[in-house]
Amino acid sequence: MAAHLKKRVYEEFSKVSQQVTLEEVPAKKLRLTKPSKSAALHIDLCKATNPTDALQYLLNFARKPVEAESVEGVVRILLEHYYKESDNSVRLKIASLLGLLSKTRGFAPDCIIDDAINTLNNEKSHQVLAQLLDTLLIIGTQLPDKIAVIQRLIDVACKHLSSTYFGVRNKCLQLLGCLGTVDKPLSKETDVGPGAQTSPVRDVQSIISDYFQDQDPRVRTAAIKAMLQLHERGMKIQQTIYNQACKLLSDDYEQVRSAAVQMVWVLSQLYPESIVPIPSSNEEIRLVDDSFGKICHMVSDGSWVVRVQAAKLLGSMHQVSPHFLEQTLDKKLMSDLRRKRTAHERAKELYASGEFSSGRRWADDAPKEKVDTSGVNLIDSGACGAFVHGLEDEMYEVRIAAVEALCSLAQSSPSFAEKCLDFLVDMFNDEIEEVRLQSIHVLRQISTHITLREDQLDTVLAVLEDSSRDIREALHELLCYTNVSTKDCIQLALLELLKNLTKYPTDRNSVWKCLKFLGARHPTLVLPIVPELLSTHPYFDTPEPDMDDPAYIAVLVLVFNAAKSCPTMPALFSDHTFRHYAYLRDSLSHLVPHLRLPGRKQTASSGLEASGVGSGSLESAQNFLQDSLIRVSVLQNLETPGAQELLEFTIRDLQRLGELQTELAGSADFCATYLHCQLLLTKALQEKLWTMAVPLCLKQNAKVSTATRQILDETYKLEFLYSGLETQQIATIHNVRLQAKALQLILTARSKRGVDRVLGVCEKFLQDVESFQRLFMTELPHFQDSFVEKLLELMPRLTACKPLDLVKILQTTLRQSRFIHLKLPEQIHRASATIIEPTGESDNPLKFTTGLVVALDIDATLEHVQDPQTTVKVQVLYPDGQSHIIHPKPGDFRTPGPGRVRLITQVYLSHSAWTEACQIEVRLLLAYSSSSSKQSASKPAWNESMDGLPTSESCIEGTIHLSKPVKVFIMPKPARR
Amino acid sequence: MPDIKVTPLGAGQDVGRSCILVSIGGKNIMLDCGMHMGYNDDRRFPDFSYITQNGRLTEFLDCVIISHFHLDHCGALPYMSEMVGYDGPIYMTHPTKAICPILLEDFRKITVDKKGETNFFTSQMIKDCMKKVVPLNLHQTIQVDEELEIKAYYAGHVLGAAMFQIKVGLESVVYTGDYNMTPDRHLGAAWIDKCRPDILISESTYATTIRDSKRCRERDFLKKVHETVERGGKVLIPVFALGRAQELCILLETFWERMNLKAPIYFSTGLTEKANHYYKLFITWTNQKIRKTFVQRNMFEFKHIKAFDRSYADNPGPMVVFATPGMLHAGQSLQIFKKWAGNEKNMVIMPGYCVQGTVGHKILNGQKKLEMEGRATLDVKLQVEYMSFSAHADAKGIMQLIRMAEPRNMLLVHGEAKKMEFLKDKIEQEFSISCYMPANGETTTVVTNPSVPVDISLNLLKREMALGGPLPDAKRPRTMHGTLIMKDNSLRLVSPEQALKELGLSEHQLRFTCRVQLHDPHSDTDTLGRIYTHLKSILKSYSIQHVPDGTVIVESIVIKVTSSAEEPNLKVILLSWSYQDEELGSFLSTLLKKGLPS
């Protein structure tokens, strides 16, 4: 039997191989056409009678790609024409084409370098010369390790540096910047060259720095850029050019200044500690301080581009001394020659004196002390007030850059953070929302360093009434991390948050969460105001507040969270508070912590054991996870008795572990799902359907096919729902998927009669195997004895054999293949989503007229979803089975924290008339494109694809359910006539 | 030497009636033509008799430039052009041209109709005057005549305010008008390029003040308004029609929008409505935010701000009202104030300075009982707030502008003398440029040193370039030889040969000869040989030839040696050089006088 099979297989193989050779014939033909391309070009160019025609041909030619083999031929033809051509524009185009061609992949441009350099020598037109140098630059960058070539190019560049045309000098400098080396000075070849007769040996840097003083601003810019390029390539820039760079800061041209600012910054990072003298005095300061002062000066430059650049760079100068840093916020105020205090200082003083501001009186900012006129320095030579200027700038780009710079500086210096607080709080009032939002975010980032004073908190809280939801939520986020100083602050914050709650009821969750942190952060400050908050009275019973009042819940959240670390607090609670606690602990367990309440120890403690898994048990949970995985890994063959039970138990254990230990939820779920796949697969294989007769098989078939279907689904989930996977795990998942597909193939082969159909499926399967090999070549050693490995061994045979044989081979391999054990990566997160809004609790149907649309607000949080803008979609399922998939706008996704994304969007619904209100289901989907279909991912955009029923399998294949469905009552009414 | 003369007719060490005369390169320009708000007599207008005693001004002035529409910068314009007489061009920006006549008309109405003055300009005169106006755009260079050109830069201050660069040949003056270096809610910051004028004439209203950040002020203002409105109180903001009013409106409008407030905001009708219309039109003159968002919504189309009607003042509930005039001395603002003063929930916010004697000034100083006309007294129970919103550059801003423009001289106007003095010292100290602060009628003369442009023939330039190094170095001066031809008002530098050819002259050679006596015991030929070796050792890079006929030739200089008959040791060396080699020749003669090394 086996011998027979072999014979057949070989027969097939030889046949197919013939076909392969047949297929190669057109490929050869293709190759024949290649030289003809350059030939065609040649003919075209020869035909061209005037330059415009030639240019036209060249332009057409440039549109088509050229194969690597034929590049050289094309280049020769182009060069030939180049020498003949008298028109500048045509020569220019040829030169640029040479550059373009030398970029062709797989083409080594060394062979054309001589010609390219030769053309330079005879060229008269400056423009063409510049273009040729550009071409050389491209060639040079293609050959970074050919020292001799680079050296030649550098010599050429040095020679042409003396050109009178700025473009040529620009390109030469660019070339030097991109290719020049610093470590060894330019060799004697330059001296031999005609350009430099007796000049001493000089390095690239000093040559470039000579052009800092060029007469053309464009060349000056190019020189600085070339220097920066050298720096980027890791060459050490000498400190000597610092002075030159500083001089360029006052250049007349903005692009020069902009580049010079960068240069000064680079030097300050390279030599922060070296000492430079202050002109017109004997003092000396550190270079980083000096450059900081100079860059600060540029924040009030005339050009906003320079200002943005300067403000941005300031943020990265962390080595600057604190004395200079603090000057940036200092703006000496003066009124009629008297020293005046700033509003910030006044506010601070008012606060210190314990007196509330009664408002500003006429001339209450009247200056007190007399300022020494000679002491007032109006134009500060240092960093004075740089940020004050930057934050008040006309262009919001500058303001944002300044805010960001403040942030990064404040993060590294707590004292500076304290000082810049006032200014950041002021920015909450900016006219551009982006700036306001940014400054709120920044304040959150530095909030670990600071404690807000009451007056500052007041200003911060005023923003709570902002109509923009983003601003309010950012502010809530900020309040979660803020430290405040007094109990009044707490009260104030609570008051404003409650006001916010009444004005914008949709903020409920966010406000509660904010109060949770506020309470947990300041238990001692909350304690004295508890009676007031809960409106309890020592003697009298007060009416029990309404439990459904969001404001009351908010207060309770604050109090309970404070009570967690303050054991004396529960004594102040009245009876109904305890009852409410029990209710809230149940209904809002994420907001209300577990409390040790005096009267109800027994009931609470049992809950504690179940839910309060302390941090210490994390390790043990991890061990448990590892242990159970090891236990499973002992299994070699799942068909051994008892193996399946073990698997089932392990799956159950893991699932439970995931529920208990949120940190490990991702890993545990992942393992459980994987094992489940294996289990399903084993069970399916045990059905032994290939031994059955065909009629019986059909019946059995249904069970197995659902199993395979399920495995496939699960593998997609495994691959796309979990983040933090490594290639090895992905390969393992693909292995399982291949197994499932093999099973599917066997099923189709058994049930379907038509050979054609099976043939198609076979081909697809083989493609999948190939792509596996392509993608996971490096991982193959881990797959000993696995299904895939065996398949790949048999691959030459498989491609050649008939479908039915293929099926047979698959059957045996499937059964013989070993179960691959999963190795867990460091951290796995499961992508998840919860729809906060709509809640699905409303009984009032959303009514609208049929044929028109109604907008449904959707608010959802997504966790650990990678690239949500492209993958997350909203699905609306109507009762009649119609489903719409809607792609939210990228702007609807906000990122409040790392790993978390918030989706706030509107979904437009429409339907024809219904007789009565009915529920529709809304859920989030995660779209994926499986690796095999990645090439075809450039399908037309999903945009509100209104394709009806998800009958076609390809449609639903690309999505995974991400959230639980939420039901919404809607009622399309017929239009009234 | 050419010079520039600057004479302030108003605004010299003073605020109000800005009017500055500038004579530059033979052109006379009048910068601004304002009136003084403090006077009601002749001192109100600048003294035009300074220019000419009788007759029209047209032949004495080449052009008039108005920087912005405030009356202290344009109030005397119809008087000057129509009553004194001026028919030349008047330059102003488009928004200024649009708004200026409204203000002039309003001013005329008050003076003539209310105060009953006669001998004042009429509406027709304003119209005739505006016909002489030539509008211009930002950064647009306008050629007034063949030599005089002017260019406008953005100045901030109010809508359409501009700084002007006046240029004749290579001499230039920049006049700032009023400007603001910190942007506000509706206007951007002043900006100028590095034009390096000979004189920068700058205002100096806040010469000794460095102001607090505008955000603090804005925040305070908004907080106060918000609190009062939340309390259910009414807020009165007395404003002047244009400028600050619009800024405050935008401030409140955006705040209302942001905070979702519902309390009504009213704006007293009349003048301001017309003005708002122009603000809507000239969006390009406003700041970045308004410019960028106007496609969606024009910021001056206020959503929350409505026109005020007298009857609204008695409406219950909170409201905010902007009313004119700004100092509470008369009109609608005073009427509303009287109605609301009794309630402590209400508030009045004074956004600007108040002149002594006005109600505004009194209440700001804390007076609680006011005497009204008749014998009635008014109890002031409402809260009084002061919030300065002013759009002038402070001392730091002025310094910043100087740094931007890099002028050679500085001239301060539009400020108090004492304060100017201080700023002047500072400027001289910081920038080491001279600074002037002339009083009214005092002339400041600044000597300029303009460079004279000369056309050079290309051949000559190329020849000279070929002589020198490979690349002309911009930073290093180089001498070159050429002939300067001044002909028909043009200057040309050409090579001597070409000059001779053009002028039809024949070339004359000028040769210097010089005898140097030298004691040398050697024979003539030996001496010559020694001279040859000596020179050869000193002048290395020159070509030195020993010609067999007994001469040494250095470049074109001929050296011969003869000995006198009576004293053989005394050698006479004959040097002869052409005029072109004067330098080398004299060097050689002094060298040889020192003798030869033994």
Side-chain angles (χ1 to χ4, degrees), chain B residues 169-185:
Chain B
L170 286 169
E171 296 168 287
S172 65
V173 170
V174 169
Y175 173 60
T176 63
D178 290 355
Y179 64 102
N180 187 9
M181 292 301 282
T182 47
D184 62 29
R185 285 284 166 159

Side-chain angles (χ1 to χ4, degrees), chain A residues 101 165 192 206 221 226 286 292 316 388 408 480-481 522 544 619 638 708 723 729 739 743 755 778 787 821 924 932 937:
Chain A
L101 286 172
Y165 181 62
V192 176
S206 59
T221 318
R286 291 159 72 219
F292 185 76
S316 49
V388 180
S408 92
C480 289
Y481 293 99
H522 309 97
E544 184 177 331
E619 213 167 303
L638 292 176
T708 46
S723 56
Q729 281 90 37
Q739 280 176 304
L743 199 57
V755 181
T778 50
F787 175 69
H821 299 295
L924 298 186
S932 56

Side-chain angles (χ1 to χ4, degrees), chain B residues 378-419:
Chain B
L378 182 67
D379 281 332
V380 181
K381 285 190 186 148
L382 87 177
Q383 297 177 54
V384 179
E385 297 291 345
Y386 172 71
M387 207 62 65
S388 151
F389 285 88
S390 174
H392 290 273
D394 62 358
K396 228 171 168 162
I398 296 172
M399 291 305 213
Q400 205 182 335
L401 188 83
I402 299 176
R403 205 154 69 88
M404 268 171 139
E406 294 188 359
R408 278 181 266 275
N409 294 285
M410 192 66 203
L411 194 141
L412 298 178
V413 293
H414 201 280
E416 290 162 39
K418 227 175 68 193
K419 297 182 179 177

Side-chain angles (χ1 to χ4, degrees), chain A residues 161-164 169 211 213-215 250-252 257 297 300-303 330-337 340-344 346 358-363 373-380 384-385 388-389 391-397 399 422 425-432 436 458-459 462-463 465-468 499 503-504, chain B residues 154 182-192 194 196 207-220 222-224 226-227 230 255 257-261 286-289 291-292 352-354 361 364-365 383-387 394-396 399-400 403-404 406 419 422-423 426 429-431 465 470-475:
Chain A
L161 261 179
S162 52
S163 160
T164 49
R169 274 178 282 156
Y211 286 83
Q213 261 102 43
D214 196 272
Q215 57 179 343
S250 52
D251 200 275
D252 281 10
R257 292 200 300 270
H297 214 56
S300 47
D301 190 85
S303 147
D330 183 33
K331 186 182 176 188
K332 285 198 183 63
L333 293 192
M334 187 177 62
S335 168
D336 290 354
L337 287 184
K340 201 168 85 174
R341 285 159 312 141
T342 61
H344 290 145
R346 282 198 300 274
S358 60
R360 196 176 306 170
R361 262 163 274 119
W362 163 249
T373 43
S374 62
V376 179
N377 204 0
L378 281 181
I379 179 161
D380 303 282
C384 242
V388 180
H389 280 294
L391 292 177
E392 277 187 23
D393 200 274
E394 181 185 356
M395 311 300 279
Y396 84 96
E397 292 91 340
R399 297 199 298 269
D422 278 322
V425 169
D426 275 353
M427 294 307 286
F428 284 16
N429 206 13
D430 197 89
E431 54 196 348
I432 307 257
R436 296 200 293 269
D458 199 29
T459 328
V463 187
E465 290 193 40
D466 204 296
S467 59
S468 151
K499 220 194 247 176
K503 200 163 180 181
Y504 306 100
Chain B
Y154 193 73
T182 47
D184 62 29
R185 285 284 166 159
H186 71 305
L187 297 172
W191 184 86
I192 195 165
K194 222 171 243 189
R196 302 194 174 91
T208 54
T209 306
I210 297 177
R211 270 181 306 151
D212 206 349
S213 125
K214 59 154 186 166
R215 285 179 203 288
C216 290
R217 276 175 286 151
E218 284 177 3
R219 204 187 56 213
D220 272 11
L222 293 173
K223 207 173 135 192
K224 271 164 194 158
H226 188 191
E227 277 171 5
E230 277 209 328
F255 187 72
E257 189 124 335
R258 261 180 66 196
M259 298 300 177
N260 243 336
L261 298 180
T286 54
N287 73 4
Q288 186 196 22
K289 153 116 188 181
R291 276 201 315 261
K292 292 217 163 137
Y353 181 76
C354 288
H361 188 256
L364 277 176
N365 280 320
Q383 297 177 54
V384 179
E385 297 291 345
Y386 172 71
M387 207 62 65
D394 62 358
K396 228 171 168 162
M399 291 305 213
Q400 205 182 335
R403 205 154 69 88
M404 268 171 139
E406 294 188 359
K419 297 182 179 177
F422 166 79
L423 189 65
K426 282 289 154 203
Q429 188 185 323
E430 294 286 344
F431 297 99
M465 262 170 61
L471 193 68
D473 191 342
K475 305 285 189 246

Side-chain angles (χ1 to χ4, degrees), chain A residues 645-784:
Chain A
E645 281 78 26
L646 178 63
L647 260 189
E648 270 164 24
F649 284 127
T650 316
I651 290 169
R652 200 198 58 202
D653 286 352
L654 287 176
Q655 277 168 348
R656 183 78 181 126
L657 180 73
E659 283 164 23
L660 288 180
Q661 197 72 44
T662 45
E663 285 92 340
L664 290 175
S667 313
D669 275 355
F670 182 72
C671 296
T673 321
Y674 176 71
L675 293 178
H676 186 60
C677 285
Q678 291 290 356
L679 190 66
L680 281 174
L681 194 65
T682 323
K683 278 187 179 163
L685 286 175
Q686 275 174 347
E687 298 291 342
K688 298 198 171 66
L689 35 100
W690 36 85
T691 53
M692 266 177 249
V694 172
L696 253 178
C697 170
L698 272 176
K699 207 173 170 192
Q700 204 68 6
N701 214 340
K703 211 165 142 195
V704 179
S705 70
T706 42
T708 46
R709 187 75 241 157
Q710 202 180 344
I711 297 170
L712 280 180
D713 279 353
E714 297 283 346
T715 54
Y716 283 119
K717 275 192 195 164
L718 281 175
E719 188 178 352
F720 296 105
L721 214 50
Y722 295 88
S723 56
L725 298 182
E726 289 156 18
T727 26
Q728 195 192 334
Q729 281 90 37
I730 295 175
T732 320
I733 297 165
H734 276 250
N735 180 32
V736 178
R737 190 180 301 159
L738 274 183
Q739 280 176 304
K741 279 186 177 161
L743 199 57
Q744 216 170 19
L745 175 60
I746 294 167
L747 279 181
T748 23
R750 294 283 302 179
S751 54
K752 300 255 168 60
R753 291 286 87 185
V755 181
D756 294 350
R757 198 172 288 179
V758 181
L759 197 68
V761 182
C762 282
E763 258 169 30
K764 197 146 180 298
F765 180 74
L766 288 177
Q767 273 173 16
D768 284 342
V769 178
E770 268 169 22
S771 74
F772 180 90
Q773 193 182 16
R774 215 174 39 241
L775 286 170
F776 305 107
M777 198 55 117
T778 50
E779 301 294 331
L780 279 179
H782 299 287
F783 287 89
Q784 274 174 6

